[in-house]
């Protein structure tokens, strides 16, 4: 079997089994696939590593010791320190070496996979179906491997099979899964198809993802900053039939937690003003003193980021992804106690 066929087989297997499109890992797998043929000086690795290939060639027949589970295990042990630096690199190395010799089991002579046993592993049992080096059948296998590799690289570049499946179908629960896995790394946009819950008009718009709310619902915002619960539950302002998630830009998250004990809300938030931006979201619960005159306006057609429950002498305010401007406008002059989590998304 040709060297390029070995490389294609190893590259495809590395991309499939490691779920990666990382060039370094794919190249490692492809290069490692050439090493089993170091047992002959006529091969490319044999010519490069001539002292090693000459020594092996004199002592072992071709496709025996280097084409075996024994050699694969030995390579895995010798290169084990690589795991400390990069575990996936080590996996690609071992996988590439294994694929390099295992591909030869489909040739007419097979390999001594169970060395030191002389028994040869040959697949399939029918000799007429086995590959010959340079035959049309090998070129057909190469073409299939190229197509499969291209498909795998495309899928893995877009986040893997599960993400591609979810993105294609656009099911709201699948969109939530994508946001859960990628929301801390990328600014995500959602193309939403569905209808407005109240107006019953169709929706075909793009929104920025704020965060997941449930397993089926997302909190999204439009260009003006207005937020909407979007998904399949009855509480949504947008009932979505499809939600397609797209990556926009890499981001860095900053999360700060604060405790308030009868403090003026505006004075506390002023301490964090320098780190706040248009993508700063505040979550938490505050007990507000002297809240008799505190009024929170609610909207049926959008998500209410601030809700209020009145008690005898205090008001309990619930914040869900509220902006600093909203919090300051409503609660800035009040004394409050409770805990807040400030999450800021910084676009890189």
């Amino acid at each position: 079997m040709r060297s390029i066929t070995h490389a294609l087989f190893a590259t495809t297997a590395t991309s499939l089994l490691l779920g990666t499109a990382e060039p370094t890992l794919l190249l490692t797998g492809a290069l490692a696939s050439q090493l089993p043929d170091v047992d002959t000086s006529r091969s490319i690795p044999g010519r490069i590593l001539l002292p090693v290939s000459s020594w092996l060639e004199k002592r072992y027949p071709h496709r025996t010791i280097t084409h075996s589970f024994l050699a694969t295990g030995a390579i895995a042990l010798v290169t084990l320190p690589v795991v400390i630096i990069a575990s996936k690199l080590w996996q690609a190395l071992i996988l590439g070496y294994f694929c390099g010799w295992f591909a030869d089991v489909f040739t007419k002579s097979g390999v001594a996979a169970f060395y030191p046993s002389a028994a040869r592993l040959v697949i399939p049992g029918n000799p007429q179906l086995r590959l010959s080096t340079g035959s049309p059948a090998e070129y057909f296998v190469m073409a299939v491997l190229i197509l499969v590799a291209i498909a795998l690289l495309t899928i893995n570049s877009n986040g893997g099979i599960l993400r591609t499946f979810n993105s294609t179908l656009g099911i709201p629960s699948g969109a939530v899964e994508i946001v859960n896995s990628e929301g801390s790394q990328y600014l995500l946009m959602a193309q939403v198809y569905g209808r407005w819950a109240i107006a019953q008009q169709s929706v075909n718009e793009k929104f920025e993802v704020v965060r997941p709310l449930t397993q089926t619902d997302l909190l999204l915002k439009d260009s003006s900053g207005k937020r909407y619960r979007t998904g399949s539950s009855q509480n949504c302002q947008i009932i979505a039939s499809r939600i397609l998630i797209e990556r926009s830009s890499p981001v860095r998250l900053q999360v700060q937690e604060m405790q308030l004990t009868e403090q003026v809300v505006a004075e506390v938030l002023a301490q964090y003003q320098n780190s706040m931006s248009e993508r700063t979201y505040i979550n938490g619960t505050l007990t507000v003193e002297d809240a008799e005159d505190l009024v929170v306006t609610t909207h049926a057609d959008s998500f209410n980021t601030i809700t209020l429950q009145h008690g005898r002498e205090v008001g309990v305010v619930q914040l869900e992804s509220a902006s600093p401007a909203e919090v300051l406008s409503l609660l800035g002059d009040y004394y409050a106690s409770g805990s807040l989590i400030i999450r800021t998304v910084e676009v890189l």
Side-chain angles (χ1 to χ4, degrees):
M1 189 172 287
R2 293 178 178 275
S3 297
I4 188 171
T5 309
H6 286 291
L8 284 170
F9 184 60
T11 300
T12 303
T14 301
S15 182
L16 173 64
L17 297 179
L18 298 187
T20 184
E22 173 61 43
T24 302
L25 298 180
L26 300 179
L27 180 61
T28 298
L31 292 177
S33 72
Q34 307 302 305
L35 293 179
D37 281 339
V38 76
D39 62 351
T40 171
S41 59
R42 296 188 299 274
S43 66
I44 294 176
R47 291 195 293 269
I48 295 174
L49 303 172
L50 189 58
V52 177
S53 63
S54 297
W55 187 87
L56 289 171
E57 199 170 33
K58 292 176 183 178
R59 290 164 175 79
Y60 304 99
H62 183 40
R63 295 182 181 173
T64 56
I65 188 171
T66 60
H67 290 63
S68 67
F69 291 106
L70 177 65
T72 305
I75 294 292
L77 287 175
V78 170
T79 59
L80 193 57
V82 177
V83 175
I84 301 174
I85 303 172
S87 61
K88 279 207 167 183
L89 189 67
W90 179 77
Q91 294 171 25
L93 174 64
I94 305 308
L95 184 58
Y97 186 90
F98 171 77
C99 291
W101 66 260
F102 188 77
D104 284 331
V105 307
F106 302 103
T107 62
K108 293 186 179 300
S109 59
V111 299
F114 306 101
Y115 187 90
S117 170
R120 311 283 288 192
L121 177 62
V122 188
I123 302 173
N126 187 344
Q128 295 182 350
L129 298 178
R130 299 171 192 166
L131 297 177
S132 297
T133 301
S135 66
E138 182 177 4
Y139 285 111
F140 174 77
V141 170
M142 289 172 58
V144 171
L145 288 172
I146 289 173
L147 293 176
V148 173
I150 291 174
L152 287 171
L153 292 176
T154 301
I155 290 172
N156 290 328
S157 295
N158 291 323
I161 294 175
L162 181 60
R163 190 192 195 285
T164 302
F165 178 78
N166 286 334
S167 296
T168 302
L169 295 182
I171 299 172
S173 59
V176 172
E177 288 183 15
I178 295 174
V179 173
N180 280 327
S181 63
E182 300 182 7
S184 61
Q185 301 172 286
Y186 300 96
L187 180 66
L188 301 175
M189 307 300 293
Q191 181 68 42
V192 178
Y193 301 89
R195 58 183 172 81
W196 295 100
I198 294 179
Q200 292 295 307
Q201 295 177 332
S202 63
V203 176
N204 180 3
E205 297 181 32
K206 183 174 288 188
F207 301 87
E208 182 178 316
V209 176
V210 177
R211 68 180 181 93
L213 291 174
T214 66
Q215 293 182 343
T216 61
D217 298 347
L218 294 172
L219 182 59
L220 309 179
K221 73 175 184 179
D222 61 19
S223 57
S224 67
K226 201 170 184 179
R227 269 142 285 181
Y228 307 94
R229 181 168 183 156
T230 304
S232 56
S233 75
Q234 295 180 348
N235 298 321
C236 291
Q237 286 82 50
I238 302 176
I239 307 299
S241 56
R242 296 182 68 202
I243 304 177
L244 304 180
I245 303 298
E246 304 171 7
R247 294 174 181 172
S248 179
S249 306
V251 298
R252 178 168 53 233
L253 294 184
Q254 296 181 8
V255 179
Q256 300 168 308
E257 187 173 357
M258 65 173 67
Q259 298 291 330
L260 287 77
T261 305
E262 297 182 358
Q263 294 171 275
V264 178
V265 174
E267 294 179 357
V268 175
L269 292 182
Q271 303 173 30
Y272 301 88
Q273 188 172 1
N274 292 336
S275 61
M276 292 183 181
S277 70
E278 63 176 326
R279 294 188 176 90
T280 295
Y281 307 102
I282 303 177
N283 292 274
T285 303
L286 294 177
T287 301
V288 180
E289 299 177 14
D290 301 322
E292 295 85 357
D293 59 342
L294 181 59
V295 178
V296 175
T297 303
T298 58
H299 305 275
D301 61 345
S302 63
F303 184 77
N304 295 300
T305 59
I306 303 177
T307 56
L308 169 66
Q309 288 184 338
H310 277 290
R312 289 186 177 180
E313 298 179 356
V314 298
V316 178
V317 178
Q318 186 73 36
L319 307 175
E320 290 193 45
S321 298
S323 69
E326 290 173 323
V327 176
L328 289 171
S329 174
L330 185 67
L331 305 173
D333 296 330
Y334 285 89
Y335 284 84
S337 300
S339 60
L340 296 177
I341 295 176
I342 300 178
R343 183 173 68 95
T344 299
V345 180
E346 180 186 355
V347 178
L348 302 178

